[in-house]
Amino acid sequence: MSDREKLLELLDEFKNSIVKMVDERDSLQGESEELRTSKREAEEKAWVAEEKVTELTAKIEKADLAKEKSAKKLAATKEELEGLGARADEAESSKKEAVDAIRAERDDLRKEMNDINEQLGRVSELYREASDEKDALQEKVDVSDLLAVYITLIETVFYGKPHARILYTLHDVKTAIPRKNLQSSTGIQPATVLKAVHDLANADLVKYDEETQEVELAKDILRRS
């Protein structure tokens, strides 16, 4: 092979090398562009994902705050309900105690009324016996004697009763006195004193001022000097 032919062969090889290098360069540029595009797309996706994560984080924090607020509200409501339940139980207990006290007082008053009726029955029986004895003996019975018997029975039998004790107290003082003073001076329970005062007022034996709560004798039945 001549030198010229060798030179041409070398030139062809060099040309082929250059063409190959150009092709590789173009290929590398294309791959580089694809990599840049992929990187840009990946970065965009990362930004979108980051925004979504931020948004979800904010929503989670908001949900946690709402949950905590609801939990506190629920605890407060539960505590309030427990308080209301306790007050309801207390009110029910107080109501039962009040009802029991009223029933006990009613039973006491009923027993007291039965005792009074029994004693009045005995007085009436005594009066009938005295009248029968008067007719049988044809003797005149002194009315003052019968009155003395009635007064003695009332003083000895009924003195411990609230109505009689209140009347005796009012006859002694001869002036209007507060209801609470009647309670302290007679030793009678407040509710019993109030009922007795209303009974005496309805019978026009005393006057009772609801505003001042003062009781005054309206009718002097003992006529003491």
Side-chain angles (χ1 to χ4, degrees), residues 8-43:
L8 290 174
E9 184 178 354
L10 288 173
L11 288 174
D12 288 336
E13 290 179 358
F14 182 71
K15 177 182 178 182
N16 291 332
S17 297
I18 291 175
V19 170
K20 185 177 180 181
M21 291 178 62
V22 171
D23 291 339
E24 289 178 353
R25 184 200 65 182
D26 293 341
S27 177
L28 289 174
Q29 287 180 347
E31 290 178 359
S32 176
E33 185 65 27
E34 289 178 358
L35 288 174
R36 284 195 295 270
T37 302
S38 298
K39 181 181 178 181
R40 185 169 56 252
E41 291 176 354
E43 290 176 347

PDB file of all heavy atoms in Angstrom, residues 8-43:
ATOM      1  N   LEU A   8      -5.068   8.335   2.883  1.00  0.00           N
ATOM      2  CA  LEU A   8      -6.526   8.394   2.651  1.00  0.00           C
ATOM      3  C   LEU A   8      -7.283   7.524   3.681  1.00  0.00           C
ATOM      4  O   LEU A   8      -8.339   7.877   4.167  1.00  0.00           O
ATOM      5  CB  LEU A   8      -6.842   7.953   1.222  1.00  0.00           C
ATOM      6  CG  LEU A   8      -6.416   8.915   0.111  1.00  0.00           C
ATOM      7  CD1 LEU A   8      -6.649   8.277  -1.284  1.00  0.00           C
ATOM      8  CD2 LEU A   8      -7.157  10.242   0.216  1.00  0.00           C
ATOM      9  N   GLU A   9      -6.698   6.402   3.968  1.00  0.00           N
ATOM     10  CA  GLU A   9      -7.342   5.495   4.936  1.00  0.00           C
ATOM     11  C   GLU A   9      -7.394   6.150   6.317  1.00  0.00           C
ATOM     12  O   GLU A   9      -8.423   6.065   7.037  1.00  0.00           O
ATOM     13  CB  GLU A   9      -6.558   4.170   4.985  1.00  0.00           C
ATOM     14  CG  GLU A   9      -7.215   3.143   5.899  1.00  0.00           C
ATOM     15  CD  GLU A   9      -6.441   1.840   5.888  1.00  0.00           C
ATOM     16  OE1 GLU A   9      -5.488   1.675   5.110  1.00  0.00           O
ATOM     17  OE2 GLU A   9      -6.809   0.934   6.702  1.00  0.00           O
ATOM     18  N   LEU A  10      -6.256   6.799   6.635  1.00  0.00           N
ATOM     19  CA  LEU A  10      -6.230   7.481   7.945  1.00  0.00           C
ATOM     20  C   LEU A  10      -7.258   8.620   7.987  1.00  0.00           C
ATOM     21  O   LEU A  10      -7.924   8.857   9.018  1.00  0.00           O
ATOM     22  CB  LEU A  10      -4.818   8.042   8.214  1.00  0.00           C
ATOM     23  CG  LEU A  10      -3.744   7.002   8.528  1.00  0.00           C
ATOM     24  CD1 LEU A  10      -2.356   7.656   8.610  1.00  0.00           C
ATOM     25  CD2 LEU A  10      -4.061   6.284   9.845  1.00  0.00           C
ATOM     26  N   LEU A  11      -7.372   9.305   6.844  1.00  0.00           N
ATOM     27  CA  LEU A  11      -8.356  10.403   6.798  1.00  0.00           C
ATOM     28  C   LEU A  11      -9.767   9.852   6.956  1.00  0.00           C
ATOM     29  O   LEU A  11     -10.630  10.458   7.632  1.00  0.00           O
ATOM     30  CB  LEU A  11      -8.217  11.172   5.467  1.00  0.00           C
ATOM     31  CG  LEU A  11      -6.978  12.059   5.318  1.00  0.00           C
ATOM     32  CD1 LEU A  11      -6.879  12.649   3.889  1.00  0.00           C
ATOM     33  CD2 LEU A  11      -6.993  13.178   6.357  1.00  0.00           C
ATOM     34  N   ASP A  12     -10.034   8.715   6.308  1.00  0.00           N
ATOM     35  CA  ASP A  12     -11.387   8.115   6.454  1.00  0.00           C
ATOM     36  C   ASP A  12     -11.643   7.714   7.916  1.00  0.00           C
ATOM     37  O   ASP A  12     -12.748   7.931   8.454  1.00  0.00           O
ATOM     38  CB  ASP A  12     -11.498   6.893   5.554  1.00  0.00           C
ATOM     39  CG  ASP A  12     -11.594   7.266   4.067  1.00  0.00           C
ATOM     40  OD1 ASP A  12     -12.026   8.421   3.811  1.00  0.00           O
ATOM     41  OD2 ASP A  12     -11.277   6.421   3.227  1.00  0.00           O
ATOM     42  N   GLU A  13     -10.626   7.159   8.530  1.00  0.00           N
ATOM     43  CA  GLU A  13     -10.800   6.758   9.932  1.00  0.00           C
ATOM     44  C   GLU A  13     -11.035   7.978  10.819  1.00  0.00           C
ATOM     45  O   GLU A  13     -11.877   7.972  11.726  1.00  0.00           O
ATOM     46  CB  GLU A  13      -9.562   5.987  10.398  1.00  0.00           C
ATOM     47  CG  GLU A  13      -9.425   4.610   9.763  1.00  0.00           C
ATOM     48  CD  GLU A  13      -8.179   3.879  10.222  1.00  0.00           C
ATOM     49  OE1 GLU A  13      -7.401   4.499  11.024  1.00  0.00           O
ATOM     50  OE2 GLU A  13      -7.984   2.723   9.833  1.00  0.00           O
ATOM     51  N   PHE A  14     -10.247   9.030  10.535  1.00  0.00           N
ATOM     52  CA  PHE A  14     -10.401  10.260  11.319  1.00  0.00           C
ATOM     53  C   PHE A  14     -11.786  10.869  11.121  1.00  0.00           C
ATOM     54  O   PHE A  14     -12.437  11.336  12.045  1.00  0.00           O
ATOM     55  CB  PHE A  14      -9.294  11.251  10.918  1.00  0.00           C
ATOM     56  CG  PHE A  14      -9.315  12.517  11.684  1.00  0.00           C
ATOM     57  CD1 PHE A  14      -8.945  12.550  13.030  1.00  0.00           C
ATOM     58  CD2 PHE A  14      -9.702  13.709  11.060  1.00  0.00           C
ATOM     59  CE1 PHE A  14      -8.981  13.732  13.723  1.00  0.00           C
ATOM     60  CE2 PHE A  14      -9.735  14.880  11.774  1.00  0.00           C
ATOM     61  CZ  PHE A  14      -9.377  14.904  13.110  1.00  0.00           C
ATOM     62  N   LYS A  15     -12.246  10.813   9.842  1.00  0.00           N
ATOM     63  CA  LYS A  15     -13.566  11.334   9.527  1.00  0.00           C
ATOM     64  C   LYS A  15     -14.637  10.537  10.265  1.00  0.00           C
ATOM     65  O   LYS A  15     -15.584  11.101  10.839  1.00  0.00           O
ATOM     66  CB  LYS A  15     -13.776  11.280   8.007  1.00  0.00           C
ATOM     67  CG  LYS A  15     -15.142  11.733   7.569  1.00  0.00           C
ATOM     68  CD  LYS A  15     -15.285  11.609   6.049  1.00  0.00           C
ATOM     69  CE  LYS A  15     -16.676  12.030   5.614  1.00  0.00           C
ATOM     70  NZ  LYS A  15     -16.836  11.854   4.130  1.00  0.00           N
ATOM     71  N   ASN A  16     -14.466   9.224  10.213  1.00  0.00           N
ATOM     72  CA  ASN A  16     -15.462   8.376  10.898  1.00  0.00           C
ATOM     73  C   ASN A  16     -15.461   8.635  12.406  1.00  0.00           C
ATOM     74  O   ASN A  16     -16.519   8.655  13.062  1.00  0.00           O
ATOM     75  CB  ASN A  16     -15.147   6.905  10.620  1.00  0.00           C
ATOM     76  CG  ASN A  16     -15.403   6.528   9.168  1.00  0.00           C
ATOM     77  OD1 ASN A  16     -16.254   7.140   8.500  1.00  0.00           O
ATOM     78  ND2 ASN A  16     -14.677   5.533   8.652  1.00  0.00           N
ATOM     79  N   SER A  17     -14.270   8.858  12.938  1.00  0.00           N
ATOM     80  CA  SER A  17     -14.177   9.158  14.379  1.00  0.00           C
ATOM     81  C   SER A  17     -14.887  10.464  14.708  1.00  0.00           C
ATOM     82  O   SER A  17     -15.600  10.584  15.703  1.00  0.00           O
ATOM     83  CB  SER A  17     -12.706   9.229  14.806  1.00  0.00           C
ATOM     84  OG  SER A  17     -12.077   7.983  14.618  1.00  0.00           O
ATOM     85  N   ILE A  18     -14.646  11.449  13.811  1.00  0.00           N
ATOM     86  CA  ILE A  18     -15.300  12.751  14.048  1.00  0.00           C
ATOM     87  C   ILE A  18     -16.817  12.613  13.954  1.00  0.00           C
ATOM     88  O   ILE A  18     -17.566  13.155  14.772  1.00  0.00           O
ATOM     89  CB  ILE A  18     -14.778  13.787  13.036  1.00  0.00           C
ATOM     90  CG1 ILE A  18     -13.303  14.114  13.339  1.00  0.00           C
ATOM     91  CG2 ILE A  18     -15.618  15.052  13.095  1.00  0.00           C
ATOM     92  CD1 ILE A  18     -12.658  15.039  12.311  1.00  0.00           C
ATOM     93  N   VAL A  19     -17.274  11.872  12.938  1.00  0.00           N
ATOM     94  CA  VAL A  19     -18.728  11.686  12.777  1.00  0.00           C
ATOM     95  C   VAL A  19     -19.301  10.978  14.008  1.00  0.00           C
ATOM     96  O   VAL A  19     -20.363  11.324  14.532  1.00  0.00           O
ATOM     97  CB  VAL A  19     -19.015  10.896  11.489  1.00  0.00           C
ATOM     98  CG1 VAL A  19     -20.463  10.487  11.435  1.00  0.00           C
ATOM     99  CG2 VAL A  19     -18.649  11.710  10.272  1.00  0.00           C
ATOM    100  N   LYS A  20     -18.530   9.951  14.447  1.00  0.00           N
ATOM    101  CA  LYS A  20     -19.001   9.206  15.622  1.00  0.00           C
ATOM    102  C   LYS A  20     -19.054  10.109  16.855  1.00  0.00           C
ATOM    103  O   LYS A  20     -20.012  10.066  17.663  1.00  0.00           O
ATOM    104  CB  LYS A  20     -18.060   8.038  15.873  1.00  0.00           C
ATOM    105  CG  LYS A  20     -18.502   7.127  16.987  1.00  0.00           C
ATOM    106  CD  LYS A  20     -17.527   5.949  17.114  1.00  0.00           C
ATOM    107  CE  LYS A  20     -17.967   5.036  18.243  1.00  0.00           C
ATOM    108  NZ  LYS A  20     -17.048   3.882  18.427  1.00  0.00           N
ATOM    109  N   MET A  21     -18.040  10.962  17.025  1.00  0.00           N
ATOM    110  CA  MET A  21     -18.003  11.879  18.175  1.00  0.00           C
ATOM    111  C   MET A  21     -19.145  12.891  18.110  1.00  0.00           C
ATOM    112  O   MET A  21     -19.769  13.221  19.111  1.00  0.00           O
ATOM    113  CB  MET A  21     -16.655  12.609  18.212  1.00  0.00           C
ATOM    114  CG  MET A  21     -15.483  11.699  18.571  1.00  0.00           C
ATOM    115  SD  MET A  21     -13.899  12.590  18.547  1.00  0.00           S
ATOM    116  CE  MET A  21     -14.174  13.795  19.815  1.00  0.00           C
ATOM    117  N   VAL A  22     -19.429  13.362  16.873  1.00  0.00           N
ATOM    118  CA  VAL A  22     -20.542  14.306  16.703  1.00  0.00           C
ATOM    119  C   VAL A  22     -21.853  13.632  17.064  1.00  0.00           C
ATOM    120  O   VAL A  22     -22.733  14.202  17.741  1.00  0.00           O
ATOM    121  CB  VAL A  22     -20.567  14.853  15.269  1.00  0.00           C
ATOM    122  CG1 VAL A  22     -21.843  15.645  15.016  1.00  0.00           C
ATOM    123  CG2 VAL A  22     -19.345  15.733  15.002  1.00  0.00           C
ATOM    124  N   ASP A  23     -21.995  12.357  16.585  1.00  0.00           N
ATOM    125  CA  ASP A  23     -23.235  11.621  16.914  1.00  0.00           C
ATOM    126  C   ASP A  23     -23.359  11.414  18.431  1.00  0.00           C
ATOM    127  O   ASP A  23     -24.456  11.568  19.010  1.00  0.00           O
ATOM    128  CB  ASP A  23     -23.216  10.269  16.203  1.00  0.00           C
ATOM    129  CG  ASP A  23     -23.346  10.407  14.675  1.00  0.00           C
ATOM    130  OD1 ASP A  23     -23.846  11.478  14.242  1.00  0.00           O
ATOM    131  OD2 ASP A  23     -22.990   9.456  13.960  1.00  0.00           O
ATOM    132  N   GLU A  24     -22.222  11.065  19.042  1.00  0.00           N
ATOM    133  CA  GLU A  24     -22.263  10.867  20.500  1.00  0.00           C
ATOM    134  C   GLU A  24     -22.594  12.168  21.229  1.00  0.00           C
ATOM    135  O   GLU A  24     -23.320  12.186  22.210  1.00  0.00           O
ATOM    136  CB  GLU A  24     -20.922  10.319  20.976  1.00  0.00           C
ATOM    137  CG  GLU A  24     -20.687   8.875  20.555  1.00  0.00           C
ATOM    138  CD  GLU A  24     -19.336   8.364  21.003  1.00  0.00           C
ATOM    139  OE1 GLU A  24     -18.529   9.192  21.534  1.00  0.00           O
ATOM    140  OE2 GLU A  24     -19.069   7.166  20.855  1.00  0.00           O
ATOM    141  N   ARG A  25     -22.018  13.289  20.666  1.00  0.00           N
ATOM    142  CA  ARG A  25     -22.309  14.592  21.289  1.00  0.00           C
ATOM    143  C   ARG A  25     -23.783  14.904  21.187  1.00  0.00           C
ATOM    144  O   ARG A  25     -24.437  15.354  22.145  1.00  0.00           O
ATOM    145  CB  ARG A  25     -21.476  15.670  20.597  1.00  0.00           C
ATOM    146  CG  ARG A  25     -21.613  17.049  21.222  1.00  0.00           C
ATOM    147  CD  ARG A  25     -21.205  18.123  20.261  1.00  0.00           C
ATOM    148  NE  ARG A  25     -22.123  18.150  19.107  1.00  0.00           N
ATOM    149  CZ  ARG A  25     -21.979  18.986  18.076  1.00  0.00           C
ATOM    150  NH1 ARG A  25     -20.946  19.826  18.034  1.00  0.00           N
ATOM    151  NH2 ARG A  25     -22.831  18.958  17.058  1.00  0.00           N
ATOM    152  N   ASP A  26     -24.325  14.687  19.970  1.00  0.00           N
ATOM    153  CA  ASP A  26     -25.770  14.960  19.788  1.00  0.00           C
ATOM    154  C   ASP A  26     -26.606  14.086  20.710  1.00  0.00           C
ATOM    155  O   ASP A  26     -27.621  14.522  21.278  1.00  0.00           O
ATOM    156  CB  ASP A  26     -26.143  14.717  18.322  1.00  0.00           C
ATOM    157  CG  ASP A  26     -25.506  15.724  17.371  1.00  0.00           C
ATOM    158  OD1 ASP A  26     -25.090  16.807  17.868  1.00  0.00           O
ATOM    159  OD2 ASP A  26     -25.428  15.440  16.172  1.00  0.00           O
ATOM    160  N   SER A  27     -26.153  12.823  20.803  1.00  0.00           N
ATOM    161  CA  SER A  27     -26.895  11.914  21.690  1.00  0.00           C
ATOM    162  C   SER A  27     -26.819  12.373  23.143  1.00  0.00           C
ATOM    163  O   SER A  27     -27.824  12.370  23.867  1.00  0.00           O
ATOM    164  CB  SER A  27     -26.324  10.503  21.556  1.00  0.00           C
ATOM    165  OG  SER A  27     -26.973   9.613  22.454  1.00  0.00           O
ATOM    166  N   LEU A  28     -25.630  12.795  23.550  1.00  0.00           N
ATOM    167  CA  LEU A  28     -25.472  13.289  24.927  1.00  0.00           C
ATOM    168  C   LEU A  28     -26.286  14.556  25.172  1.00  0.00           C
ATOM    169  O   LEU A  28     -26.872  14.752  26.247  1.00  0.00           O
ATOM    170  CB  LEU A  28     -23.987  13.547  25.217  1.00  0.00           C
ATOM    171  CG  LEU A  28     -23.105  12.300  25.357  1.00  0.00           C
ATOM    172  CD1 LEU A  28     -21.635  12.706  25.506  1.00  0.00           C
ATOM    173  CD2 LEU A  28     -23.542  11.479  26.565  1.00  0.00           C
ATOM    174  N   GLN A  29     -26.324  15.446  24.159  1.00  0.00           N
ATOM    175  CA  GLN A  29     -27.126  16.667  24.305  1.00  0.00           C
ATOM    176  C   GLN A  29     -28.611  16.323  24.463  1.00  0.00           C
ATOM    177  O   GLN A  29     -29.342  16.938  25.259  1.00  0.00           O
ATOM    178  CB  GLN A  29     -26.908  17.569  23.094  1.00  0.00           C
ATOM    179  CG  GLN A  29     -25.551  18.252  23.078  1.00  0.00           C
ATOM    180  CD  GLN A  29     -25.355  19.147  21.862  1.00  0.00           C
ATOM    181  OE1 GLN A  29     -26.132  19.081  20.894  1.00  0.00           O
ATOM    182  NE2 GLN A  29     -24.301  19.959  21.880  1.00  0.00           N
ATOM    183  N   GLY A  30     -29.056  15.322  23.659  1.00  0.00           N
ATOM    184  CA  GLY A  30     -30.461  14.915  23.773  1.00  0.00           C
ATOM    185  C   GLY A  30     -30.768  14.315  25.142  1.00  0.00           C
ATOM    186  O   GLY A  30     -31.790  14.627  25.767  1.00  0.00           O
ATOM    187  N   GLU A  31     -29.834  13.448  25.588  1.00  0.00           N
ATOM    188  CA  GLU A  31     -30.043  12.867  26.912  1.00  0.00           C
ATOM    189  C   GLU A  31     -30.009  13.937  28.004  1.00  0.00           C
ATOM    190  O   GLU A  31     -30.785  13.889  28.968  1.00  0.00           O
ATOM    191  CB  GLU A  31     -28.960  11.820  27.171  1.00  0.00           C
ATOM    192  CG  GLU A  31     -29.111  10.577  26.308  1.00  0.00           C
ATOM    193  CD  GLU A  31     -27.986   9.580  26.547  1.00  0.00           C
ATOM    194  OE1 GLU A  31     -27.103   9.917  27.379  1.00  0.00           O
ATOM    195  OE2 GLU A  31     -28.004   8.490  25.958  1.00  0.00           O
ATOM    196  N   SER A  32     -29.080  14.924  27.805  1.00  0.00           N
ATOM    197  CA  SER A  32     -28.992  16.011  28.788  1.00  0.00           C
ATOM    198  C   SER A  32     -30.285  16.822  28.830  1.00  0.00           C
ATOM    199  O   SER A  32     -30.788  17.213  29.893  1.00  0.00           O
ATOM    200  CB  SER A  32     -27.808  16.909  28.465  1.00  0.00           C
ATOM    201  OG  SER A  32     -27.753  18.008  29.351  1.00  0.00           O
ATOM    202  N   GLU A  33     -30.864  17.081  27.662  1.00  0.00           N
ATOM    203  CA  GLU A  33     -32.132  17.818  27.595  1.00  0.00           C
ATOM    204  C   GLU A  33     -33.243  17.020  28.267  1.00  0.00           C
ATOM    205  O   GLU A  33     -34.083  17.575  29.004  1.00  0.00           O
ATOM    206  CB  GLU A  33     -32.455  18.109  26.126  1.00  0.00           C
ATOM    207  CG  GLU A  33     -33.682  18.967  25.929  1.00  0.00           C
ATOM    208  CD  GLU A  33     -33.488  20.355  26.494  1.00  0.00           C
ATOM    209  OE1 GLU A  33     -32.334  20.827  26.574  1.00  0.00           O
ATOM    210  OE2 GLU A  33     -34.503  20.981  26.892  1.00  0.00           O
ATOM    211  N   GLU A  34     -33.220  15.724  27.997  1.00  0.00           N
ATOM    212  CA  GLU A  34     -34.242  14.882  28.631  1.00  0.00           C
ATOM    213  C   GLU A  34     -34.083  14.886  30.153  1.00  0.00           C
ATOM    214  O   GLU A  34     -35.069  14.934  30.907  1.00  0.00           O
ATOM    215  CB  GLU A  34     -34.135  13.451  28.100  1.00  0.00           C
ATOM    216  CG  GLU A  34     -34.586  13.301  26.646  1.00  0.00           C
ATOM    217  CD  GLU A  34     -34.427  11.872  26.132  1.00  0.00           C
ATOM    218  OE1 GLU A  34     -33.926  11.033  26.923  1.00  0.00           O
ATOM    219  OE2 GLU A  34     -34.800  11.603  24.991  1.00  0.00           O
ATOM    220  N   LEU A  35     -32.800  14.856  30.591  1.00  0.00           N
ATOM    221  CA  LEU A  35     -32.553  14.885  32.028  1.00  0.00           C
ATOM    222  C   LEU A  35     -33.022  16.207  32.644  1.00  0.00           C
ATOM    223  O   LEU A  35     -33.598  16.235  33.734  1.00  0.00           O
ATOM    224  CB  LEU A  35     -31.061  14.675  32.307  1.00  0.00           C
ATOM    225  CG  LEU A  35     -30.538  13.252  32.066  1.00  0.00           C
ATOM    226  CD1 LEU A  35     -29.016  13.211  32.234  1.00  0.00           C
ATOM    227  CD2 LEU A  35     -31.205  12.286  33.040  1.00  0.00           C
ATOM    228  N   ARG A  36     -32.721  17.325  31.930  1.00  0.00           N
ATOM    229  CA  ARG A  36     -33.172  18.628  32.436  1.00  0.00           C
ATOM    230  C   ARG A  36     -34.691  18.693  32.516  1.00  0.00           C
ATOM    231  O   ARG A  36     -35.275  19.224  33.476  1.00  0.00           O
ATOM    232  CB  ARG A  36     -32.621  19.738  31.546  1.00  0.00           C
ATOM    233  CG  ARG A  36     -31.141  20.041  31.781  1.00  0.00           C
ATOM    234  CD  ARG A  36     -30.754  21.370  31.164  1.00  0.00           C
ATOM    235  NE  ARG A  36     -30.869  21.340  29.712  1.00  0.00           N
ATOM    236  CZ  ARG A  36     -29.879  20.977  28.889  1.00  0.00           C
ATOM    237  NH1 ARG A  36     -28.698  20.605  29.389  1.00  0.00           N
ATOM    238  NH2 ARG A  36     -30.049  20.987  27.588  1.00  0.00           N
ATOM    239  N   THR A  37     -35.349  18.149  31.458  1.00  0.00           N
ATOM    240  CA  THR A  37     -36.826  18.135  31.448  1.00  0.00           C
ATOM    241  C   THR A  37     -37.360  17.284  32.594  1.00  0.00           C
ATOM    242  O   THR A  37     -38.307  17.677  33.307  1.00  0.00           O
ATOM    243  CB  THR A  37     -37.345  17.599  30.103  1.00  0.00           C
ATOM    244  OG1 THR A  37     -36.840  18.401  29.037  1.00  0.00           O
ATOM    245  CG2 THR A  37     -38.852  17.595  30.087  1.00  0.00           C
ATOM    246  N   SER A  38     -36.757  16.112  32.761  1.00  0.00           N
ATOM    247  CA  SER A  38     -37.188  15.219  33.848  1.00  0.00           C
ATOM    248  C   SER A  38     -36.969  15.872  35.207  1.00  0.00           C
ATOM    249  O   SER A  38     -37.817  15.776  36.117  1.00  0.00           O
ATOM    250  CB  SER A  38     -36.432  13.893  33.779  1.00  0.00           C
ATOM    251  OG  SER A  38     -36.705  13.221  32.565  1.00  0.00           O
ATOM    252  N   LYS A  39     -35.798  16.567  35.318  1.00  0.00           N
ATOM    253  CA  LYS A  39     -35.504  17.243  36.577  1.00  0.00           C
ATOM    254  C   LYS A  39     -36.518  18.340  36.862  1.00  0.00           C
ATOM    255  O   LYS A  39     -37.007  18.502  37.974  1.00  0.00           O
ATOM    256  CB  LYS A  39     -34.087  17.820  36.517  1.00  0.00           C
ATOM    257  CG  LYS A  39     -33.671  18.538  37.791  1.00  0.00           C
ATOM    258  CD  LYS A  39     -32.271  19.114  37.662  1.00  0.00           C
ATOM    259  CE  LYS A  39     -31.905  19.866  38.927  1.00  0.00           C
ATOM    260  NZ  LYS A  39     -30.548  20.475  38.819  1.00  0.00           N
ATOM    261  N   ARG A  40     -36.843  19.110  35.773  1.00  0.00           N
ATOM    262  CA  ARG A  40     -37.818  20.198  35.943  1.00  0.00           C
ATOM    263  C   ARG A  40     -39.182  19.637  36.338  1.00  0.00           C
ATOM    264  O   ARG A  40     -39.870  20.171  37.225  1.00  0.00           O
ATOM    265  CB  ARG A  40     -37.892  21.003  34.647  1.00  0.00           C
ATOM    266  CG  ARG A  40     -38.793  22.222  34.769  1.00  0.00           C
ATOM    267  CD  ARG A  40     -38.634  23.143  33.574  1.00  0.00           C
ATOM    268  NE  ARG A  40     -38.890  22.465  32.314  1.00  0.00           N
ATOM    269  CZ  ARG A  40     -37.942  22.138  31.427  1.00  0.00           C
ATOM    270  NH1 ARG A  40     -36.672  22.394  31.694  1.00  0.00           N
ATOM    271  NH2 ARG A  40     -38.249  21.529  30.290  1.00  0.00           N
ATOM    272  N   GLU A  41     -39.567  18.558  35.652  1.00  0.00           N
ATOM    273  CA  GLU A  41     -40.863  17.945  35.991  1.00  0.00           C
ATOM    274  C   GLU A  41     -40.859  17.397  37.425  1.00  0.00           C
ATOM    275  O   GLU A  41     -41.846  17.531  38.157  1.00  0.00           O
ATOM    276  CB  GLU A  41     -41.157  16.815  35.000  1.00  0.00           C
ATOM    277  CG  GLU A  41     -41.454  17.308  33.584  1.00  0.00           C
ATOM    278  CD  GLU A  41     -41.658  16.161  32.603  1.00  0.00           C
ATOM    279  OE1 GLU A  41     -41.449  14.993  33.028  1.00  0.00           O
ATOM    280  OE2 GLU A  41     -42.045  16.425  31.452  1.00  0.00           O
ATOM    281  N   ALA A  42     -39.722  16.804  37.795  1.00  0.00           N
ATOM    282  CA  ALA A  42     -39.618  16.270  39.163  1.00  0.00           C
ATOM    283  C   ALA A  42     -39.690  17.389  40.193  1.00  0.00           C
ATOM    284  O   ALA A  42     -40.338  17.256  41.248  1.00  0.00           O
ATOM    285  CB  ALA A  42     -38.303  15.488  39.314  1.00  0.00           C
ATOM    286  N   GLU A  43     -38.995  18.506  39.881  1.00  0.00           N
ATOM    287  CA  GLU A  43     -39.048  19.646  40.798  1.00  0.00           C
ATOM    288  C   GLU A  43     -40.454  20.202  40.907  1.00  0.00           C
ATOM    289  O   GLU A  43     -40.929  20.554  42.009  1.00  0.00           O
ATOM    290  CB  GLU A  43     -38.088  20.732  40.322  1.00  0.00           C
ATOM    291  CG  GLU A  43     -36.617  20.354  40.491  1.00  0.00           C
ATOM    292  CD  GLU A  43     -35.690  21.415  39.921  1.00  0.00           C
ATOM    293  OE1 GLU A  43     -36.186  22.297  39.187  1.00  0.00           O
ATOM    294  OE2 GLU A  43     -34.477  21.363  40.220  1.00  0.00           O
TER     295      GLU A  43
END
